[in-house]
Amino acid sequence: MARLPEEPVPQPVLSPVTSAAIFLVVTVDPGGEPGVRKLLSDLAGLQRAFGFRATSGMLSCVAGIGSQVWGRLFAGPRPAELHTFRELVGARHRAVSTPGDLLLHIRAERLDLCFGLAAEIMERLQGAVTVRDEVHGFMYFDMRDLLGFVDGTENPVGRAASAAVLVGDEDPQFAGGSYVIVQKYLHDLQAWNALPVEAQEMVVGRSKLSDIELDDEVKPADSHVALTTVVDPDGTKHEILRDNMPFGSVGQGEFGTYFIGYARTPAVTETMLERMFLGEPPASHDRILDFSTAVTGSLFYVPTADFLDNPPDPPGTGAYSEAHTATVSDARARPSDVSLRIGDMKASTADEQSAP
């Protein structure tokens, strides 16, 4: 009896929300590629070693790989929609694009587990990478951000989450993977807290206490909820999986939200961001941006666990040359026949679209 092909095993993208997280974005130094390949293949074992010490801690780690480093690490084809995060410049606000070759998203119920795994990872990557951003996130009360609103209410669950997040037959060589966009937002809490609660609710599009979405007749067109809800003319709703975390430094007066959005295609997140920063008539931009500034922005492909365990050969040793992968690289970034064609919206200048 013929054996059925095994389903690809995703990285723990769909793990439950935890109370702590560390986000590391690094770039790979010239000559650091072998060390990075070794770390990626060892990552699952490191996670098990640290997680076994406290199984109730729910330790997990997801690794994402950026467009500019892909051809330096692997020979052969690349994910169809992997490209660098594209800057968005609106009339009043800007979504910046910042360097990022690797994303390490470490989650647990205890910060010490996140810290221990992060420290071991960086020890192994010493001399191979440069850290571009490091954020330690925490759960704030009942899943609220530092603006005081519940974050992640509309996350899909179960089969809907898998369908929204995991690549399918549209890119069979990379099925089971995912795309992730990250942005670090800093909040002007002094200006925000000067607003009455009712005005804050008009900015967000939800009731602050109950977390119930405002009625369409009341909800402003430039509210955060209105602009980040992506629905086709036929009623099809496009979703992403957010695992956002608050972060901050009280002494330095820094308060923020680390946005991280996983999706089957980056086009969904990009459309959300385009609407936020470039507007969607009659809204000129998302009003939440008047109080929250994006200071980073990067896009990554999250390979399957199987891919990391048994990666392709390094460039120059496989059937494809490094020159070929470089040529294919950003030329394949979001081709028109792959993008979602969400409604009548043009997914033009953006590269991500998600909400803080």
Side-chain angles (χ1 to χ4, degrees):
M1 188 177 193
R3 292 182 62 185
L4 295 175
E6 295 184 3
E7 291 290 325
V9 178
Q11 291 190 64
V13 170
L14 299 174
S15 294
V17 175
T18 56
S19 59
I22 291 179
F23 305 92
L24 283 165
V25 174
V26 307
T27 50
V28 179
D29 298 337
E33 295 85 359
V36 170
R37 284 177 55 92
K38 180 69 166 59
L39 180 279
L40 291 174
S41 64
D42 290 345
L43 195 57
L46 292 176
Q47 176 186 313
R48 287 193 297 270
F50 275 87
F52 185 74
R53 308 175 194 186
T55 54
S56 62
M58 298 173 58
L59 177 66
S60 68
C61 180
V62 172
I65 301 170
S67 176
Q68 294 187 357
V69 82
W70 185 274
R72 294 167 54 195
L73 295 176
F74 311 117
R78 53 189 282 130
E81 295 188 80
L82 178 59
H83 55 277
T84 56
F85 182 82
R86 304 187 192 104
E87 181 180 76
L88 295 172
V89 180
R92 291 188 57 182
H93 301 289
R94 176 184 171 208
V96 297
S97 177
T98 51
D101 289 335
L102 293 180
L103 166 71
L104 294 160
H105 177 198
I106 305 171
R107 291 176 280 187
E109 284 299 306
R110 291 166 38 182
L111 184 57
D112 62 328
L113 291 174
C114 297
F115 188 88
L117 180 54
E120 179 66 25
I121 288 171
M122 293 311 301
E123 175 69 22
R124 294 184 179 224
L125 290 176
Q126 188 172 10
V129 302
T130 298
V131 176
R132 298 294 182 170
D133 193 31
E134 177 180 352
V135 172
H136 294 210
F138 54 87
M139 185 179 291
Y140 189 59
F141 296 119
D142 51 336
M143 300 293 294
R144 295 181 184 268
D145 56 29
L146 297 183
L147 300 179
F149 285 77
V150 175
D151 198 357
T153 301
E154 295 299 322
N155 272 349
V157 297
R159 291 183 179 179
S162 297
V165 168
L166 302 181
V167 175
D169 293 341
E170 68 274 11
D171 193 6
Q173 293 186 82
F174 295 95
S178 186
Y179 292 91
V180 61
I181 287 173
V182 297
Q183 290 178 297
K184 180 179 179 179
Y185 284 86
L186 296 180
H187 306 315
D188 182 349
L189 285 192
Q190 186 173 7
W192 177 255
N193 290 331
L195 293 179
V197 169
E198 294 78 7
Q200 294 179 356
E201 292 175 339
M202 291 296 119
V203 171
V204 174
R206 288 186 176 277
S207 164
K208 190 170 187 178
L209 178 61
S210 68
D211 188 40
I212 295 174
E213 186 174 334
L214 302 181
D215 291 338
D216 289 343
E217 300 77 31
V218 177
K219 183 172 53 192
D222 61 358
S223 68
H224 183 62
V225 170
L227 286 175
T228 57
T229 300
V230 180
V231 182
D232 281 345
D234 64 3
T236 302
K237 185 176 180 180
H238 297 280
E239 298 179 302
I240 64 172
L241 184 69
R242 299 169 174 85
D243 203 358
N244 303 351
M245 278 280 180
F247 69 90
S249 173
V250 177
Q252 296 180 16
E254 179 181 86
F255 306 94
T257 295
Y258 198 89
F259 165 76
I260 177 165
Y262 291 97
R264 180 173 182 162
T265 166
V268 177
T269 314
E270 290 170 341
T271 298
M272 293 178 181
L273 288 178
E274 287 172 0
R275 291 168 56 118
M276 286 178 64
F277 286 85
L278 307 182
E280 176 71 10
S284 63
H285 65 274
D286 188 333
R287 274 276 285 139
I288 208 167
L289 297 177
D290 294 339
F291 307 92
S292 302
T293 301
V295 295
T296 70
S298 304
L299 184 153
F300 306 88
Y301 171 74
V302 177
T304 61
D306 311 82
F307 182 100
L308 296 184
D309 288 341
N310 186 25
D313 291 333
T317 60
Y320 285 69
S321 70
E322 185 174 5
H324 174 79
T325 56
T327 301
V328 174
S329 69
D330 277 5
R332 294 188 66 190
R334 207 168 169 201
S336 58
D337 58 337
V338 173
S339 62
L340 285 189
R341 298 192 181 140
I342 301 168
D344 294 324
M345 290 175 226
K346 320 67 78 184
S348 50
T349 18
D351 187 34
E352 32 252 284
Q353 262 81 63
S354 264

